[in-house]
Amino acid sequence: VACQYGCSYYSLIGFGNAHIVDDPQQKIKALTVLMKTLTGKDFEFNERLVSIVKVIRGECDSYTAKHRPMPEPYKTTQH
């Protein structure tokens, strides 16, 4: 029945301010951490490379989160 469908999710909403990072060394540090987190690999950046990228730093004052788990009958175990 169509009205019985749904989806499992995690949701996080943050409230605060965003600031554009102009300092090349701060941009290099942020991009290095981001790429390591996303890929597990180390990348090298230089000022020329980061000059064409916008980096935005978020400062979170508060947040709210929700989670809708998958119903038990539909869960699968991973081995």
Side-chain angles (χ1 to χ4, degrees):
V1 177
C3 291
Q4 292 178 345
Y5 278 78
C7 65
S8 173
Y9 62 85
Y10 291 90
S11 173
L12 177 72
I13 300 172
F15 302 92
N17 295 300
H19 305 277
I20 295 175
V21 177
D22 292 319
D23 179 60
Q25 293 307 311
Q26 288 182 2
K27 290 170 79 170
I28 289 170
K29 183 177 178 181
L31 291 169
T32 300
V33 171
L34 176 67
M35 293 305 294
K36 180 72 169 191
T37 301
L38 292 175
T39 68
K41 299 177 182 177
D42 294 314
F43 289 84
E44 290 190 24
F45 297 93
N46 59 44
E47 289 191 21
R48 186 183 66 76
L49 288 173
V50 300
S51 70
I52 61 172
V53 175
K54 293 289 183 196
V55 173
I56 301 171
R57 183 185 75 239
E59 294 177 357
C60 187
D61 298 324
S62 63
Y63 64 90
T64 183
K66 295 192 292 184
H67 168 58
R68 181 176 183 206
M70 184 172 292
E72 285 297 325
Y74 301 104
K75 289 184 177 179
T76 59
T77 57
Q78 295 180 353
H79 299 282

